[in-house]
Amino acid sequence: MNQPFQLYNTLFKQKELFEPIVPGRVGLYVCGPTVYGEPHLGHARPAITFDILFRYLTHIDYKVRYVRNITDVGHLENDADEGEDKIAKKARLEQLEPMEVAQFYIDSYHHAMDKLNVLRPSIEPRASGHIIEQIEVIEQILDKGYAYISNGSVYFDVPKYNIDFGYGKLSGRILEEMISNTRELDGQDEKRHPADFALWKKAAPEHIMQWRSPWSDGFPGWHIECTAMSTKYLGDHFDIHGGGMDLLFPHHESEVCQATVVHGKESVKYWMHNNMITINGQKMGKSLGNFITLNQFFIGSHPMLERAYLPMTIRYFILQAHYRGTVDFSNDALIAAEKGLQKLYAAEKLLDKLPAKEKSDENITACIQRCYDAMNDDLNTPKLIAELFDAVRIINSVKENHISLTKEDIELLKTNFRLFFFDILGLLPEENSANNNEIVDGLMKMIVEIRQEAKLNKNWAVADAIRNHLTVLGITIKDTKEGAVWEM
């Protein structure tokens, strides 16, 4: 099949006709979550964006190796080279092992993504499981003279790289402007230049996540992780690297630098970035404290939510906007998305009841081609949804005998409406997404509230009994700063 497919390449700021390095095969690497808290709506955007890409490339007959990493070490506060590891901080506050924290939130992320019908990747590597590979890449960068050791830490030499290769190709940052605008930070004296970034950090004695290396007992820098894992599983040169726009700088720009030094060329052919989800025009995220967890959406427990929303409503809400455009959250927007989705479900139910006639008043083949044209135009899901609503018009008109379709065209419409609705957009059939989830979520919300009330009244026996009974049923309940959360 391999239809002509255009995507927007962030590196060149333009749409390009997609041509994989190896015909018929695609290597796709996506930066996954940093697992130190409950997954929120901001996590859903990249997951759904690249799920759509994975689904569509697979549908048009590409064999896709989809790698989505888990960051469970090395991501310091404020995306900086100083400060505390986000997972280690959570572990210290909750008196848990760091990998215990990571595993809990990995499970929470998977649970939320399963509800959103996000397909699992081909490979899901963890940063903490690839320390050896990261050390090897750092050694290569040192051997080629683009890094230096300082007090047991290793830093990438950005000014030297800039002279030889040119810095800022991906993000458009100019090194001289970055340096003049950089404020002094704690630990800055370790670096030769403010723009240099950590490849390896020497750990303080109290740091609970550390490994042995040739330079110190420490931990890898955030950026080196993806360079090591992407090339391990996809090779020195692969097709698509994706992630949120907030990762474009410094994370992905640093990856470009590292890979260029190690391999003598950039590793990635096409860079793709999804835009952000905003609340009142401001980016949604943990660092800003304005996020709503996905579980809160599903059970309606956040003050900003008027009620609970089904996972497919959330997915459809996100798909209504092009992945490169922003999505602004509001209850009104979610309610409108819910109504639109219900119209699509209602039309899908009519497909098996349409009366066939001897002639067709609509060109169904052309309708189907317009759906492909939308997807081939840089995954234009809003345009695809508009085409599906045009199909809804046809379905309703046939049902009311205003227009006619032949049996062959009805079968064509039926097959392709469901193909794009269920398989490519990934929206589950209504019977799989609604009633049972609503009942379970409602009951669990009530049980969690009863347990919270028992804890407030210091009735520990009741609180523990509820938790223990849920554990027997395969339901985990955990107390976090954001409140009690549960998962099956």
Side-chain angles (χ1 to χ4, degrees):
M1 199 173 183
N2 292 155
Q3 294 208 18
F5 167 57
Q6 283 196 323
L7 54 75
Y8 185 87
N9 190 343
T10 304
L11 183 62
F12 296 105
K13 309 294 189 295
Q14 63 185 17
K15 290 181 186 177
E16 295 186 352
L17 184 63
F18 176 71
E19 294 181 0
I21 296 165
V22 178
R25 293 178 175 268
V26 177
L28 168 63
Y29 185 88
V30 175
C31 290
T34 301
V35 285
Y36 68 99
E38 284 295 315
H40 55 76
L41 191 62
H43 289 119
R45 185 89 194 268
I48 291 171
T49 295
F50 294 101
D51 182 59
I52 294 291
L53 177 63
F54 183 33
R55 286 170 180 272
Y56 189 61
L57 288 174
T58 301
H59 170 66
I60 58 176
D61 289 343
Y62 286 105
K63 185 174 177 61
V64 184
R65 177 176 287 177
Y66 176 16
V67 182
R68 185 183 67 202
N69 78 297
I70 296 287
T71 299
D72 59 356
V73 65
H75 195 168
L76 306 187
E77 295 173 296
N78 301 318
D79 298 345
D81 285 337
E82 302 298 326
E84 196 167 2
D85 184 290
K86 294 180 178 182
I87 293 171
K89 180 178 180 179
K90 192 83 171 180
R92 178 176 53 78
L93 291 172
E94 298 189 14
Q95 296 184 320
L96 298 169
E97 284 291 325
M99 289 302 104
E100 192 174 0
V101 171
Q103 188 61 55
F104 177 81
Y105 290 116
I106 288 170
D107 291 345
S108 295
Y109 178 79
H110 284 156
H111 180 64
M113 294 306 111
D114 289 346
K115 281 192 166 188
L116 292 170
N117 199 29
V118 171
L119 300 175
R120 298 287 177 98
S122 314
I123 304 171
E124 194 171 51
R126 295 193 193 188
S128 63
H130 294 76
I131 300 297
I132 293 172
E133 289 86 350
Q134 292 171 70
I135 289 172
E136 289 173 350
V137 175
I138 295 169
E139 288 176 329
Q140 292 178 66
I141 296 172
L142 279 166
D143 289 344
K144 294 188 177 185
Y146 290 89
Y148 56 89
I149 303 166
S150 177
N151 298 329
S153 295
V154 183
Y155 291 96
F156 190 91
D157 191 335
V158 172
K160 181 173 182 180
Y161 176 88
N162 185 50
I163 292 170
D164 294 342
F165 297 101
Y167 182 79
K169 290 181 181 178
L170 188 62
S171 64
R173 304 282 177 125
I174 298 171
L175 183 60
E176 290 74 17
E177 293 179 0
M178 288 172 54
I179 292 169
S180 64
N181 293 330
T182 301
R183 62 185 176 87
E184 291 296 315
L185 298 171
D186 292 338
Q188 190 72 66
D189 58 332
E190 279 194 352
K191 300 182 183 182
R192 294 177 184 171
H193 241 276
D196 295 347
F197 57 87
L199 300 173
W200 186 267
K201 287 291 293 180
K202 180 180 179 180
E206 67 273 11
H207 196 96
I208 57 179
M209 298 177 77
Q210 52 182 283
W211 292 262
R212 288 188 177 180
S213 79
W215 317 288
S216 65
D217 286 355
F219 52 93
W222 174 32
H223 315 306
I224 200 67
E225 299 171 355
C226 286
T227 297
M229 290 186 286
S230 63
T231 54
K232 175 180 174 66
Y233 294 108
L234 298 176
D236 296 349
H237 193 42
F238 60 93
D239 297 293
I240 303 172
H241 192 317
M245 195 170 286
D246 56 333
L247 298 177
L248 194 150
F249 183 87
H251 186 49
H252 290 164
E253 189 70 71
S254 299
E255 283 190 63
V256 170
C257 297
Q258 294 163 165
T260 300
V261 167
V262 172
H263 306 300
K265 59 182 179 182
E266 295 169 19
S267 288
V268 181
K269 189 172 182 182
Y270 304 97
W271 285 90
M272 289 181 66
H273 293 90
N274 65 273
N275 215 321
M276 300 295 102
I277 292 181
T278 59
I279 296 180
N280 299 322
Q282 186 179 39
K283 174 196 165 187
M284 176 182 287
K286 278 189 173 296
S287 60
L288 298 174
N290 65 348
F291 65 96
I292 304 174
T293 71
L294 289 169
N295 196 53
Q296 287 171 328
F297 273 101
F298 301 155
I299 64 176
S301 62
H302 193 279
M304 292 182 66
L305 297 172
E306 292 180 4
R307 56 181 173 80
Y309 295 95
L310 293 173
M312 289 304 98
T313 300
I314 302 298
R315 185 177 178 105
Y316 180 79
F317 166 69
I318 289 172
L319 291 174
Q320 284 181 303
H322 191 272
Y323 76 88
R324 288 191 285 112
T326 57
V327 176
D328 197 53
F329 159 80
S330 71
N331 279 281
D332 288 344
L334 281 169
I335 291 168
E338 185 176 66
K339 289 178 180 177
L341 183 58
Q342 287 304 316
K343 289 179 182 178
L344 291 172
Y345 279 135
E348 187 273 331
K349 286 185 172 66
L350 294 175
L351 284 168
D352 293 321
K353 303 173 184 177
L354 297 182
K357 300 292 176 66
E358 293 182 358
K359 68 180 184 71
S360 287
D361 296 324
E362 293 280 348
N363 187 337
I364 300 302
T365 301
C367 295
I368 295 165
Q369 187 56 52
R370 289 196 297 272
C371 290
Y372 277 107
D373 291 344
M375 289 302 295
N376 290 336
D377 182 19
D378 194 26
L379 305 181
N380 196 331
T381 56
K383 183 69 167 60
L384 173 57
I385 289 170
E387 295 299 341
L388 289 179
F389 272 104
D390 192 51
V392 170
R393 173 190 63 79
I394 295 171
I395 292 166
N396 288 330
S397 295
V398 172
K399 175 182 175 290
E400 299 297 329
N401 289 311
H402 297 315
I403 63 173
S404 62
L405 292 178
T406 64
K407 180 180 179 182
E408 292 75 18
D409 276 347
I410 288 173
E411 287 302 315
L412 201 58
L413 178 61
K414 184 189 306 184
T415 300
N416 284 277
F417 187 93
R418 287 169 176 161
L419 165 70
F420 284 98
F421 189 23
F422 297 143
D423 297 341
I424 292 175
L425 290 180
L427 293 158
L428 288 170
E430 189 172 25
E431 60 269 18
N432 294 345
S433 65
N435 296 334
N436 289 340
N437 282 342
E438 281 188 321
I439 293 169
V440 171
D441 288 341
L443 288 172
M444 283 305 305
K445 181 180 179 181
M446 180 178 67
I447 292 169
V448 168
E449 288 174 352
I450 292 171
R451 182 172 176 269
Q452 290 298 97
E453 186 175 351
K455 288 180 66 180
L456 287 173
N457 294 331
K458 298 185 178 181
N459 193 341
W460 309 117
V462 170
D464 290 344
I466 291 172
R467 184 188 60 198
N468 293 339
H469 282 302
L470 291 174
T471 301
V472 171
L473 295 171
I475 299 172
T476 302
I477 191 165
K478 183 177 176 63
D479 298 305
T480 71
K481 282 190 172 182
E482 294 88 25
V485 294
W486 65 273
E487 63 178 30
M488 298 176 67

